[in-house]
Amino acid sequence: MTKTDDQMPEGGKPGLSRRRFMECAAALGLAAPFAASFLGAGPARAEPKQGGTARFAINDGTQTDSYNPASWLTSFAQAAFGGTLCNGLTEIAVDGSVKPDLAESYSASPDLKTWTFKLRPGLAFHDGRAVTATDVIESFRHHMGPKSTSAAKALVDAIADIKADGAGTVVFTLSGGNADFPFLVSDNHLAIMPAKAGGGIEWEKGIATGPFKIVDFQPGISLKMTRNPKYHKPGLPYFDAVEFVSIIDVAARTNALVTGEIDYMVDADIKTLTMLERNPAVEISKVAGVRHFTFDMNTKVAPFDNADFRMAMKYAIDREEILAKAFLGNARVANDNPVAAQIKFAVDPKPAHAYDVEKAKSYLAASGLKDVTVDLSVADTAFPGAVDAALLFKEQAAKAGITINVIREADDGYWDNIWQHKPFVGTDWLGKPTIDSLFTTVYASDGPWNDTGWANAHFDDLLKTARGEADEAKRASMYAEMQQMIHDEGGAIVIVYAYFIDALSRKIGHGPIGNMLQCDNFRMAERWWTA
């Protein structure tokens, strides 16, 4: 099997108080005669052209952000570093398929255990050094080994050997077959960086192959970048320069957008979305990606170590009410399955976990627990509407005899100090393009982001077997069983499949926006232009 680039497709109380309304209206510029100018049509889109600058506001930059690809967790890091500073061997196209990036082509042995990638000729890093097979090998080894703490460690654990076949060809030998290996190597943690002479990679300088080069980086504040004139994709990027800024507060992001300080904001405030849509200078982008919002229970900590109690919690939440009141309809109800419908092999497990107070009481009685009180940690940065969703859950669960204390944590440091540290938290999962990558990273016993601590040996065995199964009917059957296990036994209360709802200046032009990952599959700086 061989794939080349030319064969690839391109690709408390929710609600708006009077005070909050006035704050938001002011941020949107609606509290003055200026509001009248918001009515009318925006400027037409222009064809792509070179030049101009763009400022992108992301909501989760932290002071611990660095160029080390093993540490990239936030949207800020994955969009600014993964999708703008760097490239991988392959990338996720706009339509969700996989296509070559630094690789010109790739092929697999019949048993899917050996994969060969041929690099494009003439590739160069930002400092002019040629990209070689050694750089690829060391970039992957950066995440491998028993001492690795990389977020991508689980993805590369199945790589038994990597070797060069000449300066431009890399051969991967896997411990077992993997039909999704080209998708796996598109993960932005597996960015290609220059190899050091004695082994390892030079991640500290921020030198890579991406469409933009580093000018200035202030962790937790901003990243300024300038166009890479020798980028390997003809005609790209379009902007001369871009800047990523971290603005956690949504009202501050909104104000920055409407006043022209930024050109794009991630996660527009759904409570003020209607008002923002009236602004002719602003475009709202809604994309149904693979993102999902969860309340995650650590199954190794009481009372969440009790399977009956976990099931009681799954029936004690009214997802329909939360969708209507916390997310104002901007999502789709989920059923404790993290696999969104557009991912290959997705199923809808039965029975549906609809709100049922009597079933919740029944499972609570079966758990042997009485007068249960749990703390649920959330913050606005956990996911948009997280605090409102938690307060609604508190009211719903109380009817089943479960007391939830909603702990509103600070936005700053939530992902460093709360997530994976406290036993019951709100989590924004951006999703993965394949079931294998999602389960390997989040639901396998040794998954680096397995924040529920759920472990099941049969699930782990199925995951390995399905990965190397070439028969798609057999793979589908195994993946269906695994989704059912997560639905029935797992520690994640999957609330909704969320939309990526962003706002951007009509001074920015773009084509179709990717439907898998945030920020146009993290490639907006490369693909967008000045209109």
Side-chain angles (χ1 to χ4, degrees):
M1 181 174 68
T2 301
K3 295 286 187 182
T4 59
D5 196 15
D6 57 4
Q7 293 174 302
M8 305 295 172
E10 180 59 38
K13 295 287 184 184
L16 201 58
S17 67
R18 175 180 174 77
R19 179 178 177 180
R20 177 63 174 154
F21 176 87
M22 294 305 292
E23 290 173 347
C24 296
L28 293 166
L30 294 175
F34 178 67
S37 67
F38 280 11
L39 302 176
R45 300 280 101 163
E47 292 299 315
K49 63 181 180 183
Q50 299 283 332
T53 63
R55 300 187 81 211
F56 305 112
I58 313 293
N59 61 349
D60 59 1
T62 73
Q63 293 185 345
T64 59
D65 285 339
S66 79
Y67 302 135
N68 185 353
S71 69
W72 296 343
L73 171 64
T74 62
S75 296
F76 186 98
Q78 296 190 70
F81 302 143
T84 306
L85 178 68
C86 301
N87 300 92
L89 290 175
T90 63
E91 66 174 301
I92 303 299
V94 171
D95 65 358
S97 63
V98 65
K99 68 175 187 176
D101 190 349
L102 293 182
E104 183 178 52
S105 66
Y106 54 81
S107 61
S109 61
D111 63 0
L112 304 175
K113 288 186 177 180
T114 302
W115 285 87
T116 301
F117 289 78
K118 295 184 180 296
L119 296 175
R120 296 178 187 277
L123 289 173
F125 290 108
H126 293 151
D127 60 358
R129 285 179 285 176
V131 178
T132 69
T134 301
D135 299 313
V136 176
I137 292 169
E138 292 301 324
S139 294
F140 274 78
R141 286 180 175 166
H142 182 64
H143 306 275
M144 299 168 62
K147 295 182 180 179
S148 171
T149 59
S150 170
K153 180 181 184 300
L155 297 177
V156 298
D157 272 350
I159 298 175
D161 185 47
I162 318 176
K163 63 182 180 183
D165 183 10
T169 301
V170 182
V171 181
F172 294 84
T173 302
L174 311 182
S175 58
N178 189 343
D180 290 333
F181 195 66
F183 271 102
L184 185 151
V185 300
S186 75
D187 189 284
N188 57 39
H189 297 89
L190 303 176
I192 307 305
M193 291 184 170
K196 292 180 178 177
I201 55 172
E202 296 178 7
W203 61 262
E204 297 89 348
K205 297 179 181 178
I207 293 173
T209 61
F212 290 91
K213 303 188 292 184
I214 300 290
V215 174
D216 182 65
F217 176 39
Q218 302 294 324
I221 300 174
S222 70
L223 171 67
K224 295 180 179 178
M225 310 178 79
T226 187
R227 187 174 187 270
N228 175 8
K230 297 182 179 179
Y231 194 46
H232 65 277
K233 298 181 182 180
L236 294 178
Y238 298 112
F239 296 120
D240 290 332
V242 296
E243 182 178 4
F244 290 84
V245 294
S246 180
I247 305 178
I248 294 176
D249 182 73
V250 68
R253 289 200 304 278
T254 305
N255 185 61
L257 180 68
V258 299
T259 59
E261 294 179 23
I262 61 172
D263 300 295
Y264 164 91
M265 62 174 282
V266 72
D267 285 342
D269 188 350
I270 57 174
K271 292 179 181 177
T272 60
L273 200 60
T274 300
M275 290 186 287
L276 195 57
E277 286 173 333
R278 296 173 187 164
N279 187 334
V282 173
E283 175 188 351
I284 303 298
S285 168
K286 290 186 181 181
V287 177
V290 296
R291 185 185 199 180
H292 49 284
F293 300 154
T294 61
F295 289 136
D296 291 337
M297 304 176 284
N298 189 327
T299 61
K300 295 182 177 178
V301 177
F304 307 115
D305 59 346
N306 187 314
D308 286 314
F309 179 73
R310 296 199 298 271
M311 189 61 82
M313 294 290 281
K314 292 176 180 178
Y315 278 111
I317 185 169
D318 187 341
R319 295 169 176 79
E320 294 284 357
E321 183 181 28
I322 290 174
L323 170 60
K325 295 181 178 178
F327 307 132
L328 304 181
N330 291 291
R332 292 174 290 124
V333 165
N335 179 30
D336 294 331
N337 179 12
V339 182
Q342 65 262 50
I343 298 179
K344 190 175 182 179
F345 304 121
V347 299
D348 188 12
K350 304 298 179 187
H353 287 165
Y355 184 48
D356 190 325
V357 172
E358 294 307 314
K359 281 189 177 179
K361 288 180 177 178
S362 176
Y363 277 106
L364 182 61
S367 74
L369 302 172
K370 296 180 179 178
D371 301 324
V372 181
T373 298
V374 295
D375 292 341
L376 172 57
S377 292
V378 291
D380 287 336
T381 196
F383 56 78
V387 175
D388 289 344
L391 291 171
L392 282 166
F393 189 15
K394 174 182 180 179
E395 294 182 352
Q396 297 157 358
K399 296 176 184 176
I402 301 169
T403 300
I404 296 176
N405 288 328
V406 176
I407 310 297
R408 184 163 185 166
E409 308 282 2
D411 288 322
D412 189 20
Y414 183 85
W415 298 107
D416 292 331
N417 306 318
I418 305 301
W419 182 68
Q420 289 194 318
H421 292 276
K422 295 202 173 183
F424 192 24
V425 300
T427 306
D428 181 354
W429 294 102
L430 299 180
K432 294 286 186 180
T434 66
I435 287 184
D436 181 72
S437 58
L438 175 63
F439 286 177
T440 299
T441 306
V442 184
Y443 293 95
S445 300
D446 58 353
W449 294 347
N450 183 359
D451 64 344
T452 67
W454 181 67
N456 185 298
H458 181 52
F459 180 94
D460 293 344
D461 288 341
L462 281 175
L463 182 59
K464 293 176 182 175
T465 304
R467 184 180 297 146
E469 178 56 63
D471 186 312
E472 294 221 340
K474 292 180 180 178
R475 289 187 83 198
S477 176
M478 287 184 275
Y479 285 134
E481 182 179 353
M482 296 166 74
Q483 291 170 76
Q484 188 71 47
M485 293 170 70
I486 291 173
H487 171 271
D488 295 347
E489 305 168 19
I493 300 172
V494 187
I495 310 165
V496 294
Y497 303 114
Y499 300 152
F500 294 122
I501 304 176
D502 305 328
L504 56 151
S505 166
R506 290 193 181 276
K507 295 179 181 177
I508 300 296
H510 61 82
I513 293 178
N515 69 347
M516 282 287 179
L517 305 173
Q518 203 168 30
C519 302
D520 199 358
N521 293 346
F522 296 131
R523 294 280 182 165
M524 59 187 178
E526 175 191 272
R527 296 170 177 166
W528 296 4
W529 60 85
T530 301

